[in-house]
Amino acid sequence: MYPDLLGGGTGFSFGGWFYDGNSGPVAAPRWVSLAGNVRSGANSSLLAIDANGGGNFAAAPPTVAQAVGTAVLTFTSCSVATLSCEPTDGPNRTGSIALTRATPNLTCANGPVKPRNADFAFSGFWSDPALPGQGVFVEVNNAAPLVFLAWYTYVPGIPGSATAGQRWHTGQATYTTGAREVTMGLHETTGGAFNAVTPVPSTREVGSATLRWLDCSRAQLIYAFSAGSNAGRSASIAMSRSGATPADRRSP
């Protein structure tokens, strides 16, 4: 959430949504982005659902999001929300999803005084500006205490605009307050189905990554894959924060 990004009282909401788009034996990792305006004091916002396809893992070409539906995100408290969605990129996907915050609340409050947290302010979306259409969502939560990331990317060499080449990876590690570098395992999850309890997906570790913050707006992701769809690939990505720097991190 970016308060007042578009003017006084008008902010911007941006999020990522990842799932398995197949209920069969073949893995079909899918991810979309959610974006839209939000008004101060409002508890809901209308979001566009956008999908990117035709990209390459950590390489050109840049990709452009295509609209694949709409959603309404409604918060009933700082820990509970509902996502009512109407995706158009697959059958039987219209409905509502009850959401509960997965980590402790740090900066949300239903009042005029908003708590701040300098570590949590390193959370957000980070990407290589030269490669729009892929990047990582990060949460730094020193109350949990952990760092969690979701990496939205692709496999190499999938042509065209189809989402068949989409891949997402997750990582998690214990966090120490004040740390500016953390190493974690990278995981690949397959075998689930969109918004369904069964089949139960399976997750395996496919590599490792070190996330390093250089300052309030620059970071580095150093990765090495040992298995999975990007096995054998290792390098580093210079990343910048997407969106405004939170007030907690605007001064040294």
Side-chain angles (χ1 to χ4, degrees), residues 29-150:
R30 294 290 182 267
W31 54 265
V32 296
S33 56
L34 306 170
N37 295 355
V38 60
R39 293 291 302 175
S40 295
N43 70 333
S44 65
S45 56
L46 176 64
L47 307 174
I49 305 175
D50 296 320
N52 289 67
N56 280 316
F57 173 74
T63 66
V64 178
Q66 303 293 323
V68 293
T70 58
V72 175
L73 180 62
T74 303
F75 289 91
T76 53
S77 71
C78 287
S79 299
V80 177
T82 300
L83 184 69
S84 301
C85 53
E86 295 185 8
T88 59
D89 62 336
N92 303 318
R93 293 188 176 180
T94 298
S96 296
I97 302 173
L99 303 174
T100 301
R101 185 187 291 275
T103 54
N105 173 43
L106 294 178
T107 61
C108 176
N110 293 324
V113 179
K114 309 299 182 184
R116 292 185 174 185
N117 185 293
D119 289 280
F120 183 75
F122 280 99
S123 304
F125 187 68
W126 298 78
S127 64
D128 179 349
L131 298 174
Q134 54 184 306
V136 297
F137 270 103
V138 179
E139 176 164 343
V140 182
N141 194 305
N142 55 353
L146 59 79
V147 171
F148 176 82
L149 71 79

